[in-house]
Amino acid sequence: MFRTKSVEQSIRDTEEPEHGLRKSLSALDLTVFGVGVIIGTGIFVLTGQVAKETAGPATALAFVAAGVVCALAALCYAEFASTVPVAGSAYTFAYASLGELVAWIIGWDLVLEFALGTAVVAVGWSGYVRSLMDNVDWTMPEVLSGPDVAEGFGFDILACALVLVLTAILVVGMKLSARVTSVVVAIKVGVVLMVIIAGLFFIKAENYKPFIPPAEQQPAGSGWEAPLVQLMFGYEPTNFGVMGIFTAASIVFFAFIGFDVVATAAEETKLPQRDMPRGILGSLLICTVLYVAVSLVVTGMQHYSELSISAPLADAFKATGHPFYAGLISFGAAVGLTTVCMILLLGQTRVFFAMSRDGLLPRFFSKTHPRFRTPYRPTILLGVAIAIIAGFTSIEELASLVNIGTLFAFVVVALGVLVLRRTQPDLPRAFRTPWVPVLPVLSVAASVWLMLNLPVETWARFGGWMVLGVIVYFAYGRSHSRMARENR
């Protein structure tokens, strides 16, 4: 259960003609992928919501704090991705350092995280598109608008269609995916920059007072909805004040989810030892700067207590008499979510492919397309499954599973850096995480703290999925593993 797969063996697996992926990505492609998946509805919605309810204008500091937590994890990811340039991200890293069972658990976790993330984003994209259609008097029938809109039966045809189109793009090839992503990200970032620049002219200094509002005790949660930290330690999170900034950081952290997807493309990168650290850290830095700038603009345009929750940035422009920018923001959000959906789907297929290549899932899914050299079988299987989930399911209540799954992956990667430094100190490392062991330990502590702030209900669902994963491992993966066959 705790046998590890050597880095050399992992790299040799990528050289098999039928099971290797084409190397076509540069540092710029990776940075674009990172920016493409991180910037989503968070920058248009979450900023204002957190400012109104949790941190006020100090939301900018909350983004900085969340960015620091992600940076700690990113430095650990950068070392692993440059040392073990193989598809699978945290799954592959865990296999090389912590053993097969831990690798399976993290792989099982990532499959759930990326699947639900893709479906949730597709449903959100559908909502923005329907809103834009309503602006020109095109109304989608309720029965085709999904269960959130329709009374009774509803199928979200737009969300389903988006996932199927993106699946086809990913089958054709990574370079095409990178080109599509580059165009969409350029539009998305252009809209964000335009909003920031336009918003600067409507900022009023008095809206920043007080920058850190007086602290208020949050209403105590109860039962399944209460944060786990409250039940364990009696700690009750605070709104506003200095502690409110950290409470807000645990919320806005989820606007950064996705930078770890960059690591899943390590095997398809031309010079992974050099370009993976640049792509991971570069995309995180760009997005942190944009998030901080947007939060300062929105709280400067309108007093935090007057911000709307559903569309704060768009409504702030409406309040200043500029509805054009409100429409522009909706357009930017709809365009932006396209790349978020595609890159999450990309990440999931690469993890599934890597697990299949190792024999923990059926080897049928580890063969690449003879022409495109992409993992087309898991891409098609997962794409169709997620399209159906996105069409039929209202998954708002499951979205928090994406968050706990990401944080769990952060913990495993940070621990993996510590283990691999000790067990293989002479392994060539193109990028070395600084301040080991202090930095990985801080990364684990920060991620665990944010996990403890999630509801008990989320922990229960996550635990149920993990138990199912362990059963599947002992029923199939343990006996079919390539490592098991080679050791017989």
Side-chain angles (χ1 to χ4, degrees):
M1 290 188 296
F2 298 101
R3 54 193 169 219
T4 58
K5 184 178 179 183
S6 69
V7 174
E8 294 77 14
Q9 179 61 50
S10 297
I11 294 174
R12 280 198 299 272
D13 287 348
T14 69
E15 296 168 355
E16 297 177 6
E18 288 188 336
H19 303 286
L21 301 174
R22 177 175 292 164
K23 298 182 181 295
S24 60
L25 301 178
S26 64
L28 178 60
D29 292 327
L30 295 172
T31 303
V32 168
F33 273 134
V35 174
V37 73
I38 296 171
I39 296 182
T41 51
I43 201 167
F44 300 108
V45 178
L46 204 56
T47 14
Q49 178 182 333
V50 170
K52 180 179 177 107
E53 298 179 345
T54 313
T59 297
L61 300 179
F63 273 116
V64 173
V68 168
V69 174
C70 290
L72 295 174
L75 289 166
C76 297
Y77 268 91
E79 174 170 325
F80 257 128
S82 61
T83 307
V84 193
V86 179
S89 184
Y91 159 76
T92 301
F93 308 156
Y95 213 157
S97 57
L98 300 174
E100 185 174 276
L101 178 60
V102 178
W104 165 265
I105 289 173
I106 195 66
W108 186 254
D109 162 55
L110 290 174
V111 167
L112 174 71
E113 173 197 338
F114 292 147
L116 290 181
T118 306
V120 169
V121 171
V123 172
W125 175 87
S126 173
Y128 274 107
V129 171
R130 289 198 305 272
S131 175
L132 290 171
M133 291 170 64
D134 289 340
N135 290 341
V136 292
D137 295 327
W138 291 357
T139 303
M140 181 71 67
E142 279 193 7
V143 71
L144 297 178
S145 298
D148 287 327
V149 177
E151 294 182 7
F153 176 82
F155 183 80
D156 195 332
I157 189 68
L158 292 177
C160 177
L162 174 67
V163 175
L164 292 177
V165 169
L166 297 179
T167 298
I169 292 174
L170 288 174
V171 167
V172 170
M174 277 295 286
K175 199 60 188 176
L176 175 61
S177 306
R179 287 170 182 160
V180 171
T181 303
S182 298
V183 172
V184 176
V185 168
I187 295 172
K188 176 164 59 175
V189 173
V191 169
V192 171
L193 291 175
M194 194 179 302
V195 166
I196 292 171
I197 294 169
L200 289 174
F201 294 97
F202 308 117
I203 289 176
K204 297 178 180 177
E206 58 265 26
N207 288 333
Y208 290 128
K209 298 176 183 177
F211 191 77
I212 302 179
E216 297 177 3
Q217 199 69 40
Q218 279 190 17
S222 60
W224 290 100
E225 297 178 357
L228 185 61
V229 67
Q230 180 180 320
L231 296 184
M232 291 177 64
F233 307 113
Y235 168 79
E236 296 184 6
T238 302
N239 286 335
F240 306 114
V242 174
M243 292 307 297
I245 295 173
F246 295 101
T247 302
S250 69
I251 300 172
V252 301
F253 162 81
F254 306 125
F256 289 93
I257 282 179
F259 79 84
D260 56 317
V261 178
V262 176
T264 65
E267 189 175 326
E268 293 156 280
T269 303
K270 295 175 185 175
L271 297 171
Q273 289 79 7
R274 182 196 70 185
D275 293 342
M276 287 306 301
R278 293 181 180 181
I280 292 172
L281 297 171
S283 58
L284 185 60
L285 177 62
I286 291 170
C287 293
T288 301
V289 170
L290 290 176
Y291 279 152
V292 170
V294 167
S295 63
L296 289 172
V297 165
V298 72
T299 53
M301 290 175 61
Q302 200 172 14
H303 195 267
Y304 73 90
S305 61
E306 298 173 357
L307 290 170
S308 73
I309 292 178
S310 57
L313 197 52
D315 290 344
F317 276 103
K318 287 180 182 177
T320 58
H322 294 81
F324 166 77
Y325 291 106
L328 188 66
I329 290 167
S330 295
F331 172 75
V335 170
L337 290 180
T338 307
T339 55
V340 178
C341 195
M342 182 167 72
I343 299 168
L344 286 173
L345 182 59
L346 160 75
Q348 189 198 33
T349 57
R350 269 47 181 180
V351 173
F352 199 96
F353 169 77
M355 295 174 74
S356 172
R357 188 165 58 187
D358 290 333
L360 298 178
L361 290 171
R363 290 270 289 174
F364 171 81
F365 295 107
S366 66
K367 287 193 175 181
T368 55
H369 194 281
R371 177 183 172 189
F372 303 126
R373 294 287 299 280
T374 56
Y376 68 107
R377 288 173 176 173
T379 301
I380 293 171
L381 170 71
L382 296 170
V384 171
I386 294 170
I388 294 171
I389 292 171
F392 277 116
T393 314
S394 174
I395 9 178
E396 244 178 85
E397 66 277 6
L398 297 181
S400 56
L401 281 171
V402 180
N403 307 331
I404 196 171
T406 301
L407 289 163
F408 182 59
F410 287 3
V411 170
V412 169
V413 170
L415 291 175
V417 167
L418 293 174
V419 172
L420 210 58
R421 284 284 187 98
R422 191 172 185 85
T423 57
Q424 299 188 52
D426 299 325
L427 189 70
R429 291 170 170 84
F431 178 89
R432 297 178 69 88
T433 303
W435 309 311
V436 173
V438 175
L439 191 145
V441 170
L442 285 175
S443 179
V444 170
S447 298
V448 169
W449 172 252
L450 293 182
M451 290 173 74
L452 290 174
N453 278 276
L454 291 170
V456 175
E457 184 177 19
T458 299
W459 279 88
R461 287 172 172 165
F462 181 68
W465 177 255
M466 289 295 103
V467 168
L468 178 61
V470 170
I471 293 172
V472 173
Y473 171 74
F474 282 105
Y476 180 89
R478 186 164 178 259
S479 58
H480 289 80
S481 163
R482 286 183 69 186
M483 294 287 291
R485 292 200 302 270
E486 289 171 3
N487 291 338
R488 283 169 186 162

